[in-house]
Amino acid sequence: MDFTKLLALTILASIFVLGSANFYRDFDITWGDGRGKVLNNGELLTLSLDKASGSGFESKNDYLFGKIDMQLKLVPGNSAGTVTAYYLRSNESAWDEIDFEFLGNLSGDPYILHTNVFSQGKGNREQQFYLWFDPTADFHTYSLLWNPQRIIFSVDGTPIREFKNMESIGVAYPKNQPMRIHSSLWNADDWATRGGLVKTDWSKAPFTASYRNFNADACVWSNGASSCNSGSGSDSAWLSEQLDDTKQGRLKWVQQNYMIYNYCTDTKRFPQGLPAECAAN
């Protein structure tokens, strides 16, 4: 192979590497004193929890709207008391936040996938689900579509929850504050498993969750401006994306068969009336 061809292949390879997800490039491990690790030349990230500490990471970029995918493999075996959180959050005192939280359980019992949406510091919009597979046996893709009209939570491409922008009826919606991607693995045995009845078994530590194949087709927010406003940095199709009939059917299937808690049906919690968005839905 002549030098010119070799140089061309080298340049193409470097472009490919730069264009693919890389945890060294896209994230910072923010706490855990070495319990968070980037491996395999940036293709894999692991977080660990032991009795002394958990660990966590956050994205280097801030985003204002996006379609964000991450593959996770959760803590196997007896994970009771542990929580693996994967979420978007802004840095304001009245913050916005979009949550996936995975509540550990005893071996053989299913994980609970806990979701929530905060707008201007107000949450209380929990929906919880069982999953239709073992999330500890292999990697699965957990996705957030966040655009000005709706937030869609998906698992392996199947939507499990939709939260629509209903500002027209006075419901706050996260649309003005850029958010970073965060994840953490931490001990929450005061509440996570059966309301705190089942405690963390530290003889099983360290507990480890793994991450790979991050992708963000998103508007990067930098110096008060969005990359989407400049006409670069994002394919804008997702900015107006909504659920088609097929995905509406999948959403209904999940909610009928796997939803175990919905704040919009909890009349005991809201004796003065359910939140406004519940009636609209």
Side-chain angles (χ1 to χ4, degrees):
M1 181 181 293
D2 64 38
F3 177 76
T4 303
K5 287 182 179 179
L6 180 61
L7 179 62
L9 286 172
T10 302
I11 292 171
L12 284 173
S14 67
I15 290 171
F16 175 77
V17 169
L18 286 171
S20 62
N22 186 288
F23 285 104
Y24 284 122
R25 183 190 66 216
D26 298 324
F27 292 91
D28 290 315
I29 294 174
T30 49
W31 64 284
D33 195 23
R35 291 171 180 83
K37 294 182 171 64
V38 178
L39 306 167
N40 297 357
N41 296 317
E43 294 180 358
L44 180 71
L45 189 152
T46 61
L47 295 180
S48 292
L49 163 70
D50 57 33
K51 197 168 185 178
S53 178
S55 50
F57 65 83
E58 72 174 22
S59 62
K60 293 183 179 180
N61 285 328
D62 291 281
Y63 303 97
L64 187 61
F65 305 126
K67 193 171 186 178
I68 294 163
D69 304 322
M70 183 81 80
Q71 290 193 325
L72 280 74
K73 183 163 67 172
L74 299 179
V75 174
N78 180 1
S79 58
T82 72
V83 172
T84 305
Y86 163 55
Y87 58 102
L88 295 171
R89 183 180 167 115
S90 67
N91 196 33
E92 307 296 328
S93 56
W95 72 98
D96 293 343
E97 185 173 333
I98 306 169
D99 294 339
F100 279 114
E101 290 187 301
F102 303 90
L103 312 186
N105 220 326
L106 294 170
S107 299
D109 289 341
Y111 262 81
I112 292 174
L113 171 50
H114 176 100
T115 66
N116 205 351
V117 176
F118 287 77
S119 303
Q120 298 169 26
K122 179 183 180 297
N124 300 325
R125 295 171 173 143
E126 300 90 347
Q127 290 183 355
Q128 294 183 338
F129 306 83
Y130 288 141
L131 294 166
W132 49 96
F133 53 83
D134 178 359
T136 74
D138 203 351
F139 286 90
H140 292 268
T141 303
Y142 302 90
S143 305
L144 290 169
L145 169 68
W146 170 39
N147 67 30
Q149 297 83 37
R150 57 187 45 82
I151 296 162
I152 299 171
F153 298 75
S154 298
V155 178
D156 290 336
T158 294
I160 64 169
R161 177 177 185 179
E162 181 180 25
F163 183 84
K164 294 180 180 178
N165 183 338
M166 293 188 231
E167 291 177 305
S168 60
I169 60 171
V171 179
Y173 183 82
K175 68 171 191 177
N176 297 315
Q177 299 181 39
M179 296 195 265
R180 289 195 178 188
I181 302 162
H182 298 258
S183 191
S184 58
L185 175 56
W186 51 291
N187 178 45
D189 67 2
D190 56 335
W191 66 271
T193 307
R194 293 182 58 201
L197 294 177
V198 182
K199 301 300 182 183
T200 304
D201 181 355
W202 293 112
S203 71
K204 307 297 184 185
F207 305 98
T208 301
S210 302
Y211 304 74
R212 72 180 188 188
N213 289 347
F214 163 72
N215 184 67
D217 185 4
C219 303
V220 175
W221 186 266
S222 180
N223 297 319
S226 169
S227 61
C228 294
N229 294 339
S230 65
S232 63
S234 177
D235 175 2
S236 61
W238 57 265
L239 273 167
S240 57
E241 185 174 333
Q242 55 188 314
L243 296 176
D244 60 20
D245 289 344
T246 299
K247 289 196 172 182
Q248 288 281 5
R250 295 292 288 172
L251 175 67
K252 186 175 181 180
W253 172 77
V254 171
Q255 297 199 341
Q256 287 180 339
N257 292 282
Y258 294 98
M259 180 184 282
I260 59 172
Y261 177 79
N262 181 5
Y263 76 110
C264 278
T265 62
D266 194 343
T267 53
K268 290 184 179 178
R269 183 178 175 189
F270 301 103
Q272 305 303 316
L274 295 169
E277 67 268 20
C278 298
N281 283 327

